Amino acid sequence: MNKTRELYEIIRLIRPAHRRLARAVEANLRETGVSVGMRAVMEVLEEAGPLTVPDIARNLFLARQQIQLLINDLEQMALVERQPNPAHKRSPLFTLTSSGQDSFGEIRARENDDMDAVCDLFTSEELQSTQRVLCAMLDHFAEFEDDPDRPRKLE
């Protein structure tokens, strides 16, 4: 098989892999009261620290309105809290509460258990090679990335 065909076969596997991973995340979250979207917002806040709703939306390539709904739910659950934003009075910063940090840590620990089982199937070199291939594809097709301030639906 030539390299073009091999790469095409990898690309064909991305969609079902993504779908199964999304369902696994949903199943992992079932007892938490946290949705997949809420989990994504929590992950961004855990990695980046306090951010505004527009900043979170840009990071996730989603509309600000969608993020605002998720933030509202997370705030009601006391998993995130508002902080004053010295740079912009009308756009508060949001951060994980200690309860939100604990909750996200538990979510990630469960996810890591699943990933550990898969990691046992591969060498570090194989995983690094896969990462290089995916990063190269992202770089090659970067011109097709959405504007984070105006994400588009796929046609």
Side-chain angles (χ1 to χ4, degrees), residues 21 79 85:
L21 288 169
L79 297 175
N85 182 353

Side-chain angles (χ1 to χ4, degrees), residues 2 11 17 19 30 49 51 83 85 98 106 112 117-118 125 132 134-135 146 153:
N2 69 32
I11 292 169
R19 190 175 58 247
R30 200 166 286 133
L51 293 172
Q83 295 178 339
N85 182 353
S98 60
E106 291 168 11
N112 284 345
V118 175
E125 293 78 21
R132 282 192 308 275
L134 292 173
C135 287
D146 281 346
K153 293 183 180 179

Side-chain angles (χ1 to χ4, degrees), residues 68-128:
Q68 187 62 62
L69 293 173
L70 295 169
I71 283 287
N72 292 347
D73 291 342
L74 287 165
E75 202 171 16
Q76 282 184 320
M77 295 171 69
L79 297 175
V80 301
E81 63 188 358
R82 301 170 183 254
Q83 295 178 339
N85 182 353
H88 198 291
K89 290 182 182 181
R90 292 183 50 180
S91 187
L93 295 169
F94 289 91
T95 188
L96 290 175
T97 61
S98 60
S99 176
Q101 290 171 354
D102 292 345
S103 178
F104 187 71
E106 291 168 11
I107 289 167
R108 287 293 295 130
R110 284 192 301 276
E111 291 172 350
N112 284 345
D113 290 342
D114 282 339
M115 285 192 286
D116 287 345
V118 175
C119 284
D120 288 343
L121 302 172
F122 303 102
T123 66
S124 290
E125 293 78 21
E126 289 171 320
L127 293 171
Q128 290 167 7

Side-chain angles (χ1 to χ4, degrees), residues 39-85:
R39 184 221 171 276
V41 169
M42 292 173 76
E43 182 172 52
V44 168
L45 292 174
E46 195 270 336
E47 289 177 355
L51 293 172
T52 64
V53 166
D55 290 336
I56 299 167
R58 265 186 231 99
N59 192 293
L60 293 173
F61 290 90
L62 294 171
R64 288 188 300 262
Q65 297 84 347
Q66 290 174 285
I67 298 302
Q68 187 62 62
L69 293 173
L70 295 169
I71 283 287
N72 292 347
D73 291 342
L74 287 165
E75 202 171 16
Q76 282 184 320
M77 295 171 69
L79 297 175
V80 301
E81 63 188 358
R82 301 170 183 254
Q83 295 178 339
N85 182 353

